[in-house]
Structures are given as structure tokens and as C-alpha cells.
């Protein structure tokens, strides 16, 4: 009887200790995930991509840093994997960013580099380190 109680107590203690250790690890990992992108992320990570919203919550602008040798389209898809694109490569046309689709025939997502409208499409625009790549939802006039 004494052995059974000792075994049950030992198991209960071991299970409690294991549970506390697991809880501590989970809590510790959750905290690390939140701090890590800011502390160690290079300037071109998703953490640096940003967008502006209207009062209704619709995204109207989205920007990120350029990277040498990568196209504006490649980087857009890194920073917003759910962006919607029609066509491929140099003929790609961005139709939605951050879940906000441009209304067909009324709006379009305009591409800007360092504040100037791009002269080529996103699939053809090779970016450089330090450039600001910006998308603006604009009305067709």
C-alpha cells in the first residue's frame, strides 16, 4: 500500500512538473516570436511592410523596402502572400492587396518607387536596396 501511494505521488509530482515546464516553454516561445522580428529582422522583412487604411478599414496604400535584384512583384508577394495578380511575369497586373480588390473599371493599384509612379509593371521593375516601393489604390479618371 505504501509503495502504491509513493508511486502515485511520484507520478503526480512528475506530471505536475512536466506540465509546468511545458507551460513555461510555450509562454517563453510566444514572447520570443513577438520580439524576434523587430530585434533581428533585416530592413526588407514583412515586419517593415505597411499599409494605410480608410476609416472603414479598407487598405488604400501599401509599402515596403526594395531589395537589389528582386522585382516589385516578387517583394509584394513576400510581404502580402495573399495579394491577387492577373497575368504573369512582366505582364502581371496587381488586382488586390491586403484583401482589398480594386473595383473593376473604377480603380487600380498604382505602383510608385520613391514617390514617383513606375514606368514599368511590377513584374518588370527590378528594385534596389533603399528604395521605397509603394502601392496606392487610385481612381481611374
Amino acid at each position: 500500500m505504501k509503495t502504491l501511494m509513493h508511486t502515485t505521488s511520484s507520478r503526480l509530482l512528475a506530471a505536475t512538473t512536466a506540465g509546468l515546464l511545458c507551460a513555461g516553454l510555450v509562454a517563453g516561445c510566444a514572447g520570443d516570436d513577438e520580439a524576434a522580428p523587430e530585434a533581428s529582422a533585416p530592413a526588407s522583412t514583412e515586419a517593415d511592410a505597411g499599409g494605410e487604411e480608410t476609416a472603414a478599414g479598407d487598405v488604400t496604400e501599401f509599402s515596403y523596402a526594395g531589395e537589389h535584384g528582386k522585382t516589385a512583384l516578387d517583394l509584394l508577394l513576400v510581404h502580402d502572400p495573399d495579394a491577387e495578380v492577373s497575368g504573369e511575369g512582366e505582364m502581371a497586373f496587381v488586382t488586390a492587396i491586403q484583401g482589398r480588390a480594386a473595383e473593376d473599371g473604377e480603380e487600380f493599384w498604382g505602383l510608385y518607387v520613391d514617390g514617383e509612379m513606375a514606368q514599368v509593371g511590377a513584374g518588370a521593375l527590378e528594385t534596389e536596396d533603399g528604395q521605397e516601393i509603394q502601392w496606392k489604390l487610385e481612381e481611374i479618371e
Side-chain angles (χ1 to χ4, degrees):
M1 180 76 155
K2 194 173 191 180
T3 305
L4 180 60
M5 285 181 51
H6 179 67
T7 303
T8 304
S9 296
S10 295
R11 286 185 184 164
L12 181 60
L13 180 60
T16 303
T17 303
L20 290 173
L21 284 173
C22 287
L25 286 172
V26 169
C29 289
D32 288 347
D33 286 347
E34 292 173 14
E38 292 178 39
S40 63
S44 60
T45 65
E46 188 170 338
D48 290 334
E52 290 188 23
E53 298 180 359
T54 64
D58 290 335
V59 173
T60 58
E61 293 186 16
F62 188 74
S63 61
Y64 47 86
E67 290 183 37
H68 178 74
K70 294 190 179 179
T71 68
L73 180 60
D74 291 338
L75 292 172
L76 172 63
L77 294 173
V78 167
H79 294 293
D80 181 11
D82 296 325
E84 295 177 22
V85 179
S86 174
E88 295 180 4
E90 292 183 6
M91 301 305 293
F93 185 76
V94 175
T95 58
I97 295 176
Q98 296 277 291
R100 174 60 163 89
E103 292 192 33
D104 195 30
E106 296 180 25
E107 301 173 316
F108 68 97
W109 280 102
L111 174 60
Y112 291 79
V113 179
D114 293 332
E116 299 290 325
M117 184 170 261
Q119 300 300 308
V120 297
L125 178 65
E126 294 233 359
T127 66
E128 295 294 331
D129 293 340
Q131 288 180 323
E132 179 189 20
I133 309 303
Q134 185 175 34
W135 293 88
K136 295 180 183 181
L137 187 63
E138 304 195 84
E139 291 183 22
I140 296 174
E141 296 179 11

